[in-house]
Amino acid sequence: MSDLTEADAHIVVVGAGQAGLQAAETLRAGGFEGRVTLVGSEPHAPYHRPPLSKGWLSEALDARQLAIRDVSALERKNIDLRVASHVAEIDANARAVRLQDDSRIAYSGLVLATGATPRMLGNAAPADGTICALRSREDASAIAKGLRNCLQARLPLVVIGGGFIGLEVAASARKLGADVVVLEAAPRLLQRALSRELSDWYARLHASHGVTLVLDARIDKVETSGSTAQVRLIDGRRWEAGLVLVGVGIIPNDELARRAGIACDNGIIVDACSRTSIAGIVAAGDCTVCRLPDGSMRRLESVQSAVEQGRAAAYTLLGMEKPFTGTPWFWSDQYDAKLQIAGLSRSADRSVARGDMAGKSFSIFHYAVDRLVAVDSINAARDHVIARQLIGVGVSPTIDQVSDISFDLGRLRPA
Amino acid sequence: MVQITFVEPAGAEVAVDATEGWSLMQAAVANGVDGIVAECGGSCVCATCHVYVDETRLAALPAPGEIELELLEEVKAERRPNSRLSCQITATPELAGLVVTIPPCQT
């Protein structure tokens, strides 16, 4: 695709979140001199989403601090940002996108970074103010308002779903003084992401901060009346809530791609270079699912993945192969606990703690047979960074080395 | 506003007016300074906003915290005595005119 380095080339990026922004900036960093248009459906320049459940809820951050870039910085990079714009259709044959206002933009390369939408419960609509989900700045502002309602009416925040979003909001709400009830359908918190021992650790952490946790919770009904909501479980337990937060996962926004004939399977299917099934169209971030060399599919919902896929997508359009093959990593801040995850623990059959799980700082090393596959660290940043490097190069410390905190794991890194 | 000068990896000097109370990382990324990745947005988990602080003014900065020190052990570019994570330095009037240099790589 050497024609893309011509000055008359035009790359359109659909979606102005972390992945889309990264793709646009990487095009410039990679020497692309043609036009770059970044189309975002939200009315804002690209902003950081992780603080929405923390600093933004407690109003410790202003909008400019939340921004990843000022608009002026994008202008300097000659990236044309169009906010509040919706792409309605991709015409892959004509190489053009049609916007909702019926204008068309011809492209020589297309990046899809359309993100994801929170999953909602069958009978709960997010728009009515007392039932919320968290994805956007507007969502976070609605939650902040709902929390004020909780405090004023002396009603709890009821969180449906004990995943990262729900638990981070629960921690922020406790800090603000609201009562919090967390209802989780699974027998433990964070079941998809964490091992049982760490799930239990988080359950104790939240309980110690006064959160009411209900595991194996089967929701019967969520209803609203006026400025309150009622949540009822099948077993008859019920809560009157000042705000209900639904945090039960996200659905990739792949509809635009599907309608254009791009192969999708719970997300736009991409390879490690972010290529889709149509040449000249790449995709990155939460809207994607990655087909691994062994044929299996992997969805990574993380900032790191969005950044690295965005970068790979841009390089692919520039004719350079820079596949995303790094060690997945993720973090979550709740109360004073900073969790950092390196690698994926799903395949693990054995776990070893490094440090004291009753203390404030420790890590859990996960092995599949004798191979280190993942490390979960609580307030142990150095363990985390070393783990990322060790997993990345396929070096596995022995169980004895891990359990001996006087042993410097950094020594195992290749020079 | 506190003026901070960032020396980008390619050598360009970019003077930025940082809002008081912001981190140097926030000031750099908001102004599109090249070379600061800041993947984590300032949560002190990724070590991709590494900078070298003007050595003559190092003492004027509050000392790094424990997590910052741990992460500094793991930065990609060479760690020097004046290495800091820019997300952990708050812009205050005492820092006016500070020059920080961005290393050649972050990831």
Side-chain angles (χ1 to χ4, degrees):
Chain A
M1 258 180 252
S2 55
D3 58 318
L4 288 183
T5 54
E6 302 288 333
D8 61 353
H10 187 180
I11 293 177
V12 174
V13 182
V14 184
Q18 192 97 48
L21 174 67
Q22 185 67 45
E25 292 195 329
T26 303
L27 288 169
R28 290 292 179 233
F32 179 68
E33 289 175 351
R35 287 175 65 193
V36 176
T37 301
L38 182 57
V39 184
S41 59
E42 294 187 52
H44 314 289
Y47 58 88
H48 291 289
R49 285 183 208 278
L52 291 179
S53 58
K54 287 137 334 212
W56 186 258
L57 282 190
S58 53
E59 291 166 346
L61 288 174
D62 64 35
R64 202 175 161 216
Q65 285 174 288
L66 198 65
I68 306 179
R69 296 284 181 272
D70 277 0
V71 174
S72 62
L74 294 176
E75 283 168 358
R76 270 205 307 283
K77 292 183 190 220
N78 201 16
I79 293 168
D80 180 12
L81 173 67
R82 297 199 192 176
V83 297
S85 296
H86 297 265
V87 172
E89 194 183 14
I90 301 165
D91 185 344
N93 292 324
R95 292 202 163 216
V97 294
R98 182 174 62 81
L99 271 57
Q100 221 161 34
D101 64 5
D102 264 350
S103 61
R104 282 168 70 87
I105 312 175
Y107 64 77
S108 42
L110 182 65
V111 182
L112 298 177
T114 47
T117 306
R119 192 184 298 279
M120 289 307 290
L121 300 171
N123 62 350
D128 52 21
T130 48
I131 303 177
C132 293
L134 177 52
R135 181 76 189 171
S136 67
R137 236 179 86 174
E138 277 66 32
D139 294 338
S141 298
I143 292 167
K145 191 174 157 215
L147 288 176
R148 285 196 290 274
N149 185 41
C150 289
L151 290 166
Q152 217 162 26
R154 294 169 182 257
L155 288 171
L157 160 73
V158 173
V159 175
I160 299 179
F164 286 115
I165 291 278
L167 294 177
E168 287 179 4
V169 173
S172 296
R174 284 301 298 142
K175 271 191 200 167
L176 293 171
D179 287 331
V180 178
V181 179
V182 174
L183 308 176
E184 166 57 52
R188 61 186 178 91
L189 297 176
L190 298 160
Q191 181 164 281
R192 281 195 314 145
L194 296 183
S195 59
R196 169 167 290 282
E197 52 211 324
L198 215 43
S199 290
D200 294 346
W201 189 87
Y202 269 101
R204 288 193 299 274
L205 177 71
H206 280 274
S208 75
H209 281 87
V211 170
T212 303
L213 274 184
V214 181
L215 300 171
D216 294 311
R218 297 280 178 273
I219 306 286
D220 177 29
K221 228 176 211 171
V222 183
E223 287 173 321
T224 60
S225 55
S227 61
T228 68
Q230 297 77 41
V231 180
R232 199 169 73 195
L233 297 187
I234 281 174
D235 65 14
R237 280 180 286 180
R238 49 174 297 145
W239 288 269
E240 183 87 2
L243 175 70
V244 174
L245 174 77
V246 181
V248 292
I250 54 175
I251 301 166
N253 294 333
D254 62 5
E255 199 203 330
L256 188 64
R258 265 191 281 130
R259 280 193 279 119
I262 297 169
C264 294
D265 177 9
N266 187 33
I268 302 168
I269 300 173
V270 293
D271 64 9
C273 290
S274 296
R275 285 180 283 239
T276 70
S277 62
I278 295 184
I281 304 181
V282 291
D286 282 351
C287 64
T288 67
V289 56
C290 189
R291 193 194 297 276
L292 302 179
D294 68 3
S296 65
M297 302 292 231
R298 182 170 81 178
R299 266 186 64 71
L300 290 176
E301 297 166 4
S302 71
V303 175
Q304 175 230 4
S305 175
V307 168
E308 304 212 19
Q309 284 189 312
R311 197 176 289 148
Y315 279 121
T316 293
L317 289 181
L318 296 176
M320 288 178 255
E321 283 210 358
K322 297 205 177 181
F324 166 29
T325 53
T327 307
W329 67 275
F330 183 79
W331 83 94
S332 174
D333 287 314
Q334 296 168 42
Y335 311 107
D336 294 327
K338 182 181 288 298
L339 167 70
Q340 292 167 277
I341 299 176
L344 299 170
S345 59
R346 268 166 234 157
S347 63
D349 51 38
R350 182 169 187 192
S351 302
V352 189
R354 180 173 174 86
D356 178 9
M357 276 191 73
K360 289 221 178 283
S361 162
F362 63 90
S363 296
I364 298 175
F365 285 61
H366 300 282
Y367 289 81
V369 192
D370 290 324
R371 193 166 56 91
L372 181 69
V373 290
V375 176
D376 304 327
S377 301
I378 298 283
N379 299 330
R382 185 162 188 266
D383 282 356
H384 169 71
V385 182
I386 293 173
R388 260 161 71 182
Q389 294 169 348
L390 293 183
I391 294 167
V393 293
V395 170
S396 302
T398 67
I399 305 281
D400 286 346
Q401 288 168 338
V402 166
S403 23
D404 174 6
I405 50 163
S406 67
F407 180 83
D408 177 10
L409 294 173
R411 276 172 45 195
L412 300 176
R413 281 175 294 175
Chain B
M1 289 292 188
V2 183
Q3 199 188 68
I4 306 286
T5 298
F6 292 89
V7 183
E8 294 182 340
E13 292 191 9
V14 185
V16 162
D17 285 323
T19 306
E20 268 186 68
W22 284 27
S23 72
L24 296 197
M25 179 280 288
Q26 284 172 328
V29 297
N31 287 280
V33 173
D34 281 339
I36 300 271
V37 176
E39 274 184 11
C40 75
S43 300
C44 203
V45 291
C46 71
T48 62
C49 65
H50 177 203
V51 293
Y52 302 124
V53 174
D54 175 3
E55 279 155 329
T56 64
R57 302 189 61 184
L58 202 51
L61 270 62
E66 210 172 302
I67 291 184
E68 183 183 350
L69 284 173
E70 290 188 356
L71 286 172
L72 280 170
E73 291 187 43
E74 313 306 330
V75 289
K76 190 80 173 175
E78 181 198 354
R79 183 187 182 186
R80 300 178 188 160
N82 57 338
S83 284
R84 292 294 303 263
L85 295 184
S86 54
C87 71
Q88 299 303 303
I89 303 173
T90 304
T92 58
E94 294 74 50
L95 298 188
L98 181 71
V99 178
V100 300
T101 303
I102 301 170
C105 59
Q106 299 281 2
T107 58

